[in-house]
Amino acid sequence: MHIYIINLDRSAGRMDFMREQCEALSLDFERVPAVDGKAIDPDTLERHGLMPGATACFMSHRLAWQRLISSPHQRALILEDDAELLPSLAELIHEDGWFPQQADVVRVEATGQKQLLSMDAIALSGERVLRRLHSDSWGCAGYIITRSAAERLLDITEDFTEAVDLVVFGHDFVRDAVIYQMVPAPLKQKSMFQEEATGAFRSTIDAERFDANKRKIQAPKSGIAQKLKRELLRPFRQARAFYRRIKGIERFKFDRVTFG
């Protein structure tokens, strides 16, 4: 399976970290130069209504999707450059016959968030399983995506107004796509965890994530309006999703996905 690693030119330390992990696991990869939020013009930021880092992150994932559909590969693992990989991930990448034929995306990341997952599991090697994802999930540091899913995401995100993880693993796409969560997950994002988000791994997307004193920084007005609308509608979207799943044949429950 092909691997794309999204990396900023000015984040050489992170690229070294990813390269060392991949070499240790005999994983070949292709680097995707990330979009730098500092270089995005004001008109683009205003159109998307997000902070520069979140806008750049989304644009960078779109570049990775474009790389995939321009390649001969049927699917690829997309990694952000602060993803900590377990050795067990290598086996799944080298031999990908386990990938479900009906799947659009397989999420291989653990964030500590509780997720609504199907109780009907697809067994993998060891104690690892795949469970169908039915809820919003944050984090986009590691996921396997098919060509067709990449094409669909590119089509619906030309004018994105949400962070990339709130689209790829947000209600609307989760409802319409077939997305699995790997349990336990063999990957976690170092900048997602406060104790590890230091030095080179302090988030370049949201530097205020763990700093309460900086949370008063204002987003563009259009971004605030979009966020307010999303939050007001979220309970209704989730209730609708819950009803749709209840009427189906799958059993599911909220579980916290572990890293291991």
Side-chain angles (χ1 to χ4, degrees), residues 61 109 116 128 145 151 154 161 165 171 182 204 251:
H61 279 267
E109 176 183 8
L116 188 62
R128 210 176 299 281
I145 186 169
E151 289 171 347
L154 282 169
T161 56
D165 51 349
H171 167 73
M182 194 172 288
T204 56
R251 301 170 301 132

Side-chain angles (χ1 to χ4, degrees), residues 18-167:
M18 296 303 298
R19 184 178 293 105
E20 289 173 3
Q21 290 188 95
C22 288
E23 288 178 353
L25 299 177
S26 299
L27 295 174
D28 295 326
F29 66 87
E30 182 177 341
R31 178 179 177 268
V32 178
V35 175
D36 195 329
K38 295 180 179 180
I40 300 176
D41 64 88
D43 289 342
T44 298
L45 292 175
E46 184 176 0
R47 185 173 80 252
H48 295 302
L50 299 173
M51 297 297 286
T55 305
C57 181
F58 207 132
M59 294 171 71
S60 300
H61 279 267
R62 281 177 53 85
L63 289 177
W65 303 336
Q66 288 167 350
R67 288 277 188 99
L68 172 58
I69 64 175
S70 297
S71 77
H73 308 297
Q74 293 304 307
R75 64 183 72 94
L77 171 63
I78 310 294
L79 298 175
E80 293 183 353
D81 61 5
D82 59 346
E84 181 178 342
L85 316 178
L86 287 180
S88 55
L89 178 64
E91 178 184 347
L92 297 167
I93 299 305
H94 289 308
E95 300 292 339
D96 63 353
W98 56 268
F99 192 90
Q101 185 176 2
Q102 71 275 21
D104 292 302
V105 179
V106 170
R107 191 168 187 265
V108 296
E109 176 183 8
T111 62
Q113 172 195 16
K114 278 194 171 183
Q115 298 163 267
L116 188 62
L117 301 171
S118 169
M119 293 174 65
D120 299 319
I122 299 174
L124 302 178
S125 59
E127 298 183 358
R128 210 176 299 281
V129 299
L130 296 178
R131 295 172 61 186
R132 181 84 181 266
L133 178 66
H134 294 312
S135 64
D136 296 1
S137 300
W138 65 67
C140 232
Y143 58 96
I144 300 167
I145 186 169
T146 64
R147 292 174 61 89
S148 61
E151 289 171 347
R152 287 158 59 192
L153 282 168
L154 282 169
D155 184 57
I156 66 176
T157 60
E158 289 187 7
D159 292 308
F160 59 85
T161 56
E162 296 183 293
V164 64
D165 51 349
L166 297 183
V167 174

